[in-house]
Amino acid sequence: MLEVVRKVADLRAKTAQYRAGHASIGLVPTMGALHDGHLTLARSAKLDNARVIATLFVNPKQFGPREDFAAYPRDEAADAAMLERVGVDLLFAPGLEEMYPENFSTSVAVGGLTQTLCGLARPHFFGGVATVVTKLLLQAMPDRAYFGEKDFQQLQVIRRLVRDLNIPVAIVGVPTIRESDGLAMSSRNAYLSPAQRRMASALPQILQETVAELRAGNPAATILPGAKSRLHKAGFDRVDYLELCDEQTLQPIAIARPPARLFVAAFIDKTRLIDNWPVI
Ligand code: AMP
């Protein structure tokens, strides 16, 4: 039976019980509106740990002033039912005041890795993510925490902050779960109209075609402009970036060499979709 707690003290009482029984703990942080991508993280956590805790918190600090915090889909009852079905033991669903009490004044900033890709278009985003993930890790003190490769830059930022701050947790990256047409599952896909949803399938298609061209040894500078114009032709209004980067540094590279990955962020109307694909 899935238990729900909303206070850090209650979360800590549960984790103390788990640890007293020598049970390993896996943590799956989410913003809810769960889909099979999230559930795959939970299933991976179940395989590796005796107890699994999911968290549900729509973190205002990672949304910009003109972004979709208010509109972000929320359905805690449906999320809890899904988590229970995959065998999650505990849901930590704190309110805003529990996470950010009055006079909350601390933030965690990760340099370098956040100065590219999504960090340029969404300057507030990684500070918000780093702050909330640091809090969740310190609140739950899990053995392992699970994050999706769908948000690959976020995964690398979290790996770096955990290393830099000596937080004793293993970060586990989970491959991207996709719809049958290849579109990466995302809570934000719910914003798309049926016509926009059909258009969106061009994103993974063009990403994979471009990866094939880069794998063949063609320089990024000759391949990426054509790929961007194919995205525009397919109905994407704005391409924030389409970049070939080193997986570790996230810096752009001219020619694919391991470990390289192609990253994309593009808008259909107001909906921003991101994806990435390994090149080597
Ligand atoms: P979110 O609720 O969007 O903040 O995502 C919570 C976690 O689920 C993050 O670690 C995401 O990277 C991961 N995630 C989201 N979508 C997918 C997906 N399609 N495949 C794998 N992991 C995902």
Side-chain angles (χ1 to χ4, degrees):
M1 187 65 192
L2 178 76
E3 198 176 328
V4 183
V5 291
R6 300 188 190 279
K7 302 285 177 206
V8 175
D10 296 332
L11 171 67
R12 291 220 163 111
K14 291 301 296 183
T15 55
Q17 273 177 27
Y18 297 160
R19 277 194 209 95
H22 302 286
S24 57
I25 301 173
L27 188 77
V28 181
T30 84
M31 296 206 301
L34 301 185
H35 50 66
D36 205 45
H38 298 108
L39 298 183
T40 302
L41 303 191
R43 287 189 206 101
S44 305
K46 281 287 288 180
L47 291 176
D48 300 340
N49 303 278
R51 298 284 182 202
V52 175
I53 304 172
T55 72
L56 193 176
F57 180 64
V58 184
N59 175 32
K61 289 195 186 294
Q62 68 191 71
F63 290 79
R66 279 179 297 281
E67 292 184 351
D68 55 341
F69 175 69
Y72 199 82
R74 291 165 171 88
D75 189 347
E76 184 182 315
D79 292 343
M82 283 190 246
L83 293 169
E84 181 164 309
R85 278 201 294 279
V86 297
V88 167
D89 299 280
L90 185 68
L91 175 60
F92 176 51
L96 261 181
E97 56 305 324
E98 183 70 2
M99 289 300 269
Y100 300 122
E102 212 184 325
N103 298 327
F104 184 89
S105 354
T106 303
S107 59
V108 179
V110 179
L113 292 175
T114 60
Q115 312 298 309
T116 65
L117 303 173
C118 283
L120 299 178
R122 306 184 69 196
H124 45 272
F125 177 68
F126 287 114
V129 167
T131 302
V132 81
V133 170
T134 301
K135 282 177 67 75
L136 292 168
L137 293 175
L138 296 177
Q139 288 162 346
M141 290 296 250
D143 296 279
R144 300 175 192 84
Y146 295 77
F147 295 90
E149 286 187 354
K150 149 91 182 1
D151 303 282
F152 195 86
Q153 187 177 15
Q154 169 176 285
L155 171 63
Q156 298 298 56
V157 166
I158 291 165
R159 286 192 163 124
R160 180 65 53 85
L161 88 83
V162 158
R163 191 208 64 172
D164 288 356
L165 298 180
N166 305 102
I167 301 178
V169 58
I171 300 300
V172 182
V174 177
T176 303
I177 304 301
R178 296 175 181 279
E179 304 283 0
S180 55
D181 65 349
L183 183 67
M185 289 189 183
S186 164
S187 308
R188 289 191 167 99
N189 293 350
Y191 296 149
L192 300 170
S193 71
Q196 291 174 331
R197 174 62 190 82
R198 284 193 293 277
M199 269 188 226
S201 65
L203 189 69
Q205 270 165 30
I206 293 169
L207 195 61
Q208 285 171 76
E209 288 160 18
T210 311
V211 161
E213 293 173 317
L214 293 165
R215 255 188 207 139
N218 296 300
T222 62
I223 297 302
L224 298 184
K228 269 187 203 166
S229 63
R230 292 209 295 284
L231 281 169
H232 288 301
K233 277 199 203 102
F236 284 84
D237 301 298
R238 197 170 101 213
V239 179
D240 261 355
Y241 56 77
L242 176 67
E243 272 198 275
L244 176 68
C245 295
D246 179 281
E247 270 190 15
Q248 297 306 319
T249 64
L250 302 181
Q251 289 305 308
I253 49 179
I255 292 213
R257 56 174 154 71
R261 200 169 267 261
L262 184 62
F263 294 86
V264 67
F267 281 85
I268 295 182
D269 195 16
K270 290 185 182 55
T271 304
R272 186 174 186 270
L273 301 176
I274 62 169
D275 203 348
N276 63 86
W277 203 278
V279 175
I280 301 285

